[in-house]
């Protein structure tokens, strides 16, 4: 069968592009070098029957109704609002920093009318706010920065916050209220049957073929298509000709605790100043699964291994721009996703980027851009029971 578009990577970016193009009548081949679909969002039941995320905890959140509606074609949802506690000075306190975090840490009694005065007293204004150190110190001062951010960031990235762009720590802004949810997005849900089931439905289309366990670079010469949608690391596509683009990796240590209804009070506990791992996630909080035991994962950051994070800092952005210039000259290839666009994208942002990329591919192949008309009707968002 002829292939119109070869999609490299079966994660969110690749699967969305594939589905959109297939819906327009193109023949799509999706390959992934891993032996499964879903990319880093892949989930599966472990040996004890607990649904876990092998590549670390994935919580879906978005402000975009368009993206939520798009994914709702392939899954029902379970409402879930993620909460994170940080282990500091022998206690567990809410993260992002909120009024209760400050009160518990310093024995104060601040409220919504006085918390900003507190931050104004302790903050160290920075201009410009260029780095992750700047963004935190500028907002909440040195002590809270050192308690929650400095060491966690050094562990996570192998870099000091002063060496990372402001956008990294800006993901976790301090609050002037009691909101202890990790995300404030409008739509916060988990796919009811898990991510892999969502991907199976998204890729289940007569115009899509999927081959897992296939590395693009090993088969590049014989994989013929009119266009390639590439979602792997962009530097690898160009044989690292400008040098290696840094990606940060993780080692995951999974553990099952039998006959344990609950390991920790919330989905994730962060350890900024203790241990070599950054955080422990307990999956049953996130998935809502009933089970007599519980499964957890510890994340150990490292340089080697699968590429999980682009590393946002100016020198890496400059190197990426050189690869991006090459990518733009490839008229028969489109680069999309967290690794190919070298962007610290969440899942919803990958979906958004992939919807755009699909339009671009269609235009490149000489068809009209879609009107967003996927082949199944889009259901309105409902809160539960979908
Ligand atoms: P990927 O999921 O990385 O998929 C790319 C695929 O391409 C991979 O499967 C890879 O095997 C394949 N590939 C690469 N090279 C080749 C090749 N040469 N040949 C064939 N296949 C190849 N986002 C959220 O929204 N919420 C969260 O809570 C969240 N938590 C996260 C936690 C961790 C630990 C990590 C690492 C990420 C998290 N994310 C989260 C981000 C989320 O994982 C990404 O936004 C999203 O999964 C990226 O999708 P992608 O398709 O761009 O890339
Ligand atoms: N961060 C931190 N301490 C924390 C949580 C986050 O210093 O307890 C910083 C750290 O640099 C981290 C970044 O904020 O990499 C973004 O955190 P997020 O939880 O969004 O990271 P992710 O879930 O993407 O790994």
């Amino acid at each position: 069968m002829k292939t119109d578009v070869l999609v490299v990577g079966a994660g969110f970016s690749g699967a969305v592009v594939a589905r959109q193009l297939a819906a327009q009548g193109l023949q799509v081949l999706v390959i992934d070098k891993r032996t499964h679909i879903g990319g880093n969002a892949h989930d599966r039941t472990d040996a004890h029957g607990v649904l876990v995320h092998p590549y670390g905890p994935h919580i879906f959140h978005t402000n975009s109704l368009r993206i939520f509606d798009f994914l709702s074609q392939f899954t029902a949802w379970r409402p879930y609002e993620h909460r994170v506690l940080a282990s500091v000075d022998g206690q567990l306190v809410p993260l992002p920093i909120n009024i209760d975090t400050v009160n518990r840490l310093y024995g104060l009694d601040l409220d919504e009318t006085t918390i900003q005065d507190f931050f104004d007293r302790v903050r160290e204004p920075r201009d410009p706010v260029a780095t992750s150190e700047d963004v935190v110190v500028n907002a909440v001062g040195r002590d809270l920065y050192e308690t929650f951010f400095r060491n966690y960031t050094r562990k996570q990235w192998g870099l000091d916050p002063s060496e990372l762009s402001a956008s990294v720590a800006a993901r976790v802004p301090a609050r002037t209220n009691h909101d202890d949810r990790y995300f404030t997005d409008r739509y916060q849900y988990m796919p009811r049957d898990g991510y892999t089931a969502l991907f199976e439905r998204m890729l289940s289309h007569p115009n899509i073929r999927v081959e897992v366990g296939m590395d693009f670079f090993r088969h590049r010469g014989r994989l013929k298509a009119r266009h390639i949608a590439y979602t792997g690391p962009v530097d690898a596509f160009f044989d690292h000709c400008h040098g290696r683009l840094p990606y940060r990796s993780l080692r995951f240590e999974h553990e099952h605790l039998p006959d344990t209804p609950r390991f920790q009070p919330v989905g994730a506990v962060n350890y900024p100043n203790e241990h070599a791992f950054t955080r422990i996630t307990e999956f049953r909080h996130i998935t809502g699964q009933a089970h007599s035991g519980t499964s957890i994962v510890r994340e150990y950051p490292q340089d080697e291994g699968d590429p999980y994070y682009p590393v946002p800092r100016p020198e890496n952005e400059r190197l990426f721009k050189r690869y991006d210039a090459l990518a733009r000259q490839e008229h028969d290839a489109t680069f999309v996703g967290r690794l190919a666009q070298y962007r610290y994208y969440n899942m919803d942002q990958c979906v958004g980027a992939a919807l755009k990329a699909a339009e671009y591919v269609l235009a490149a192949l000489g068809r009209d851009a879609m009107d967003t008309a996927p082949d199944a009707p889009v259901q309105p968002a409902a809160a539960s029971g979908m």
Side-chain angles (χ1 to χ4, degrees):
M1 199 200 299
K2 79 178 166 79
T3 300
D4 293 311
V5 180
L6 170 66
V7 175
V8 179
F12 263 106
S13 305
V16 170
V17 169
R19 178 68 186 214
Q20 289 295 79
L21 298 179
Q24 295 298 309
L26 295 173
Q27 295 296 323
V28 183
L29 171 62
V30 181
I31 63 167
D32 202 298
K33 66 179 180 184
R34 289 173 170 161
T35 54
H36 58 72
I37 57 172
N40 288 335
H42 174 75
D43 57 12
R44 64 167 80 114
T45 50
D46 65 14
H48 311 275
V50 180
L51 183 63
V52 300
H53 302 173
Y55 304 103
H58 279 71
I59 295 106
F60 184 76
H61 54 100
T62 189
N63 278 318
S64 165
L65 179 60
R66 176 173 179 243
I67 289 168
F68 186 62
D69 275 350
F70 174 79
L71 293 176
S72 300
Q73 298 174 88
F74 313 113
T75 188
W77 299 99
R78 165 182 184 263
Y80 172 70
E81 292 181 324
H82 194 47
R83 287 183 168 74
V84 176
L85 295 171
S87 169
V88 292
D89 301 338
Q91 52 177 334
L92 296 179
V93 294
L95 195 83
I97 295 166
N98 68 14
I99 295 174
D100 300 300
T101 314
V102 174
N103 284 344
R104 303 242 318 259
L105 217 54
Y106 299 119
L108 296 173
D109 194 19
L110 301 169
D111 60 26
E112 294 195 2
T113 65
T114 51
I115 182 77
Q116 191 57 55
D117 292 344
F118 172 85
F119 287 147
D120 287 343
R121 267 201 313 283
V122 296
R123 70 187 279 260
E124 290 177 17
R126 297 268 170 111
D127 187 13
V129 176
T131 71
S132 276
E133 178 186 297
D134 293 336
V135 81
V136 182
V137 169
N138 182 62
V140 299
R142 181 149 295 277
D143 195 58
L144 289 167
Y145 162 73
E146 288 179 359
T147 303
F148 292 98
F149 284 88
R150 188 178 59 185
N151 297 332
Y152 186 104
T153 299
R154 286 179 176 174
K155 251 195 288 191
Q156 171 71 12
W157 300 94
L159 294 169
D160 189 79
S162 61
E163 301 173 289
L164 276 168
S165 299
S167 58
V168 176
R171 289 168 61 91
V172 192
R175 309 243 169 93
T176 52
N177 56 28
H178 295 277
D179 190 348
D180 65 347
R181 298 169 306 159
Y182 203 60
F183 308 110
T184 52
D185 300 53
R186 179 128 188 240
Y187 307 101
Q188 303 190 38
Y189 294 94
M190 291 295 293
R192 194 193 59 196
D193 309 320
Y195 289 100
T196 300
L198 181 163
F199 278 94
E200 279 165 0
R201 292 185 202 118
M202 186 158 27
L203 292 169
S204 167
H205 189 286
N207 296 340
I208 299 179
R209 283 174 298 140
V210 179
E211 296 237 15
V212 293
M214 182 182 281
D215 188 329
F216 172 64
F217 297 112
R218 292 190 57 190
H219 301 273
R220 197 172 192 169
R222 67 170 187 80
L223 288 166
K224 304 281 179 237
R226 293 166 65 201
H227 199 93
I228 296 174
Y230 177 82
T231 75
V234 63
D235 58 339
F237 189 92
F238 296 105
D239 215 10
H240 308 103
C241 64
H242 294 315
R244 286 197 175 260
L245 203 43
Y247 290 91
R248 190 70 167 159
S249 191
L250 295 169
R251 178 172 66 81
F252 300 101
E253 193 179 272
H254 287 266
E255 188 182 353
H256 179 75
L257 303 147
D259 302 320
T260 307
R262 175 169 278 204
F263 173 78
Q264 61 190 25
V266 290
V269 175
N270 287 8
Y271 293 87
N273 307 311
E274 311 148 61
H275 307 297
F277 52 83
T278 49
R279 60 187 174 191
I280 301 181
T281 299
E282 183 175 12
F283 290 105
R284 282 182 41 210
H285 287 280
I286 298 173
T287 60
Q289 185 183 358
H291 197 286
S292 58
T294 195
S295 293
I296 60 173
V297 65
R298 296 178 176 82
E299 293 171 52
Y300 293 85
Q302 58 184 26
D303 274 336
E304 269 68 54
D306 281 357
Y308 292 132
Y309 293 85
V311 183
R313 58 192 307 219
E315 66 199 72
N316 297 349
E317 185 61 19
R318 281 194 291 277
L319 182 52
F320 166 68
K321 287 279 179 238
R322 298 183 68 194
Y323 282 111
D324 192 40
L326 292 178
R328 285 169 196 278
Q329 288 165 24
E330 294 279 329
H331 297 297
D332 298 330
T334 300
F335 296 76
V336 58
R338 177 148 148 147
L339 305 173
Q341 294 180 279
Y342 206 66
R343 287 286 170 268
Y344 193 169
Y345 279 158
N346 295 323
M347 292 180 281
D348 64 322
Q349 294 170 301
C350 290
V351 174
L355 291 172
K356 258 200 211 125
E359 290 180 14
Y360 177 83
V361 174
L362 282 169
L365 291 178
R367 293 180 176 229
D368 293 334
M370 292 172 290
D371 317 310
T372 69
D375 43 5
V378 173
Q379 301 299 326
S384 61
M386 294 190 298

